[in-house]
Amino acid sequence: MASLTTLVLAIDARQAAVGGNQFVAATNNIKIGAARATAANKTLGGSFGTLAKQMGKAFLVFKALQGIKGTTRTIADFEETMKTVELVTRSATAQMEQMTEVARVLGATTRYTANEAAEGMLHLARAGFSAEESMRAIKDSLDLATAGGLTLAESTQYMANSIRQFALDASDAGRVANVFTVISNNANMTVRDMAESMKYAGTVAASTGVSIEETAAAMGVLADRGIRGTRA
């Protein structure tokens, strides 16, 4: 009986040893697999890092190319506008060089770009201003646009109309811009309201010898009484 028990225990012991060896082998396999997975993750992470760097460089190149494209487009737009100014004003080469320089200076010293300044001079030219008059009036037209919240097309139109109505010189553009700005800031009317009133009353007032300042002041008084625009 004792020998049978010993035999059974010996068999169980051998099976336990085999199971233990299998457990150790399985554990080792798990460790090896984990090490391989860690190495693979590091390799994959490095690949993603390299890819991210490459994508970052590609993005910077793309933005640089976009900037170059935008600059090229801006230069082309400016040259096209100045060419149109030349056609409208029929200016000589020397005058065109002066107008180009004026536009560039305004583009560097005001909130407007050189092309926008050129467009402003184009609006003045189309209103009948010569190249010389356009250059004298453009800076104050830009100031009026800023002060009145106007487009350049509006400000140059108001400027040109007022100068012609009151038989002023283009060098009086600052005077006109000042009148529009001061009255609109001190009366119940906008620059647009005043321009609309001037469209009807300006010529009549000027024909009777009334100055632009006196006309604008009268419009301001009427505006404070609720009469503005075409009713003034």
Side-chain angles (χ1 to χ4, degrees), residues 2-231:
S3 58
L4 178 62
T5 301
T6 301
L7 179 60
V8 171
L9 290 175
I11 294 173
D12 287 344
R14 284 197 298 273
Q15 290 176 342
V18 171
N21 291 334
Q22 291 176 340
F23 176 77
V24 171
T27 302
N28 288 335
N29 287 335
I30 291 174
K31 289 180 179 180
I32 292 170
R36 288 175 179 173
T38 300
N41 283 336
K42 288 182 179 178
T43 301
L44 184 61
S47 298
F48 276 124
T50 301
L51 179 61
K53 290 179 181 179
Q54 291 175 343
M55 289 180 67
K57 291 179 181 179
F59 178 74
L60 291 176
V61 171
F62 173 75
K63 293 298 290 183
L65 291 175
Q66 286 294 98
I68 294 172
K69 181 179 178 181
T71 301
T72 303
R73 181 70 263 173
T74 299
I75 293 172
D77 289 343
F78 177 65
E79 291 177 348
E80 183 178 345
T81 301
M82 292 308 301
K83 187 65 177 178
T84 306
V85 170
E86 181 181 10
L87 293 173
V88 173
T89 61
R90 299 180 181 180
S91 299
T93 302
Q95 280 185 317
M96 282 309 303
E97 290 177 352
Q98 289 178 336
M99 296 184 81
T100 300
E101 182 61 22
V102 167
R104 285 174 175 163
V105 169
L106 291 174
T109 58
T110 70
R111 58 175 289 189
Y112 298 97
T113 64
N115 188 53
E116 288 173 326
E119 289 176 345
M121 286 192 285
L122 177 59
H123 289 309
L124 290 169
R126 284 175 171 164
F129 277 41
S130 67
E132 195 67 34
E133 289 175 323
S134 297
M135 285 188 283
R136 288 203 298 266
I138 183 59
K139 172 62 168 61
D140 295 303
S141 296
L142 297 182
D143 290 342
L144 179 60
T146 301
L150 310 171
T151 65
L152 289 180
E154 288 176 318
S155 67
T156 50
Q157 179 186 348
Y158 300 162
M159 180 68 70
N161 289 347
S162 297
I163 286 176
R164 294 302 189 227
Q165 284 175 324
F166 290 91
L168 302 175
D169 187 82
S171 60
D172 291 315
R175 173 183 171 188
V176 174
N178 185 61
V179 167
F180 272 86
T181 302
V182 170
I183 298 301
S184 64
N185 286 339
N186 291 279
N188 187 24
M189 70 188 314
T190 65
V191 171
R192 289 187 179 90
D193 292 332
M194 187 174 168
E196 189 67 16
S197 298
M198 279 289 188
K199 187 162 61 176
Y200 295 94
T203 302
V204 175
S207 66
T208 61
V210 180
S211 70
I212 186 173
E213 288 85 359
E214 293 170 322
T215 304
M219 290 176 179
V221 172
L222 291 173
D224 287 341
R225 289 164 175 72
I227 303 172
R228 64 179 68 85
T230 57
R231 297 174 57 197

